[in-house]
Amino acid sequence: MTTEQLRVDGISEGLRARAVVRAPGGVHSNVRLRGPHPFIRSAKGAWLFGVDGRDYVDYLLGQGPNFLGHAPDAVVQAVSAACEGGLLFGGQHELEVQAAELVCEVAGWPEMVRFSTSGTEAVQAALRVARAATGRTEIVRFQGHYHGWVDNILIGERDGDWGVASAGQVADNLRPCHILPWNDAELLTAQFEQYGSRLAAVIMEPIMINTGVIEPKPGYLETVRELCTKYGVVLIFDEVISGFRVGLGGATQRYGVTPDLATYGKAFAGGYPVAALVGRSDLMSLLGTGMVNHSGTFNASVMAMAAVTATLTTLRDRPPYASVEEHGGALMAGLREIAAKHDVQLRVAGLPAAFHVSFGDADVTDYRSLQQLDLARYERLAAALVENGIWLAGRGIWYVSGAHGPRELDVALTRFEKTLSEWALKVER
């Protein structure tokens, strides 16, 4: 290795050494503690370019938001032009009206929208609205579903028991939560029969993308909808990941089951930090009367609304869903073929727009059955894939964007085979 190459390769390491001095763990979100650590200089389309001169074909996409690819021209130009007139007014502006109208039009079912800056905030607003509307406090939520990092909703599993996931988290704040396995209609029905009159809401990812990319069993969402209607419980779909990614109408359209409220984020803003609570007008209007408080200085900022408007206009007028389906399907098939060639038991499952990869073989329908796979072994492989130029997280989720095409497919499969070949040799030794 040349002196120049050593200098270049050391840039990322030097930045990380500086980062850990001023930022805990060297990162600004704990999700990134176990993510790839090379520093990125820039990104465009389906590619990341590191400060050390390396390139990465990106299947993490910023944890999902870059559904149109990095720095999509239409979004960047729209935001830049809008910001010429100011960023934040402490008042209303036309773009926020246009964005709200587009969300309702494109998603198809919501009647009203409230914007915020993160999915965590949108979830909190949804829970507050549900409790205000019903006069009840308890909620049903599910193992392995993520709804944000605050005390009253963050959960983790330890030795089979579910509770707080973080030191410093107040356990009493989880007391109103009934934490159940997902995809079990019989168990959920029994829970409603016992506690239905005390429940304010059921909250779930309608597709369990955050952990394993697990689809609902046939009829499961319908059962949930029927139970919520029967007992007067507010059904909340957390579509922060699935919304606008699995189709214009998200999981709601895909499965034909409509919630009362939903949260959106990530894919609907082209990479900008925006989220939304959407739903029925009779519920959402509680925010407008002032009865239910939902606030935020940066909610519906000019740049956020320009990003939402430009992204949803693109998704509506030039939808990328066919190309995402084609690329994701070919990528999944290619990964399986390479694994079989090297006699490696690799499980590739999920949707073309977002799928899960791990070692092993199991009938995965919920968090518990996902644990039958060798997730730790895959996390080690993911680190090797990053070294060979495929940008991924260790938890097994691959995201596909509208910017991925034939070149990216060829590069990804070539780099995957190289990595798996090296991996197989290490295992044999």
Side-chain angles (χ1 to χ4, degrees), residues 261-275:
L261 298 171
T263 56
Y264 292 142
K266 298 188 186 286
F268 84 142
Y272 281 81
V274 192

Side-chain angles (χ1 to χ4, degrees), residues 361-377:
D361 184 27
D363 181 18
V364 176
T365 59
D366 60 6
Y367 177 88
R368 293 179 299 183
S369 51
L370 183 70
Q371 306 313 304
Q372 298 174 38
L373 302 174
D374 194 341
L375 305 177
R377 186 182 178 208

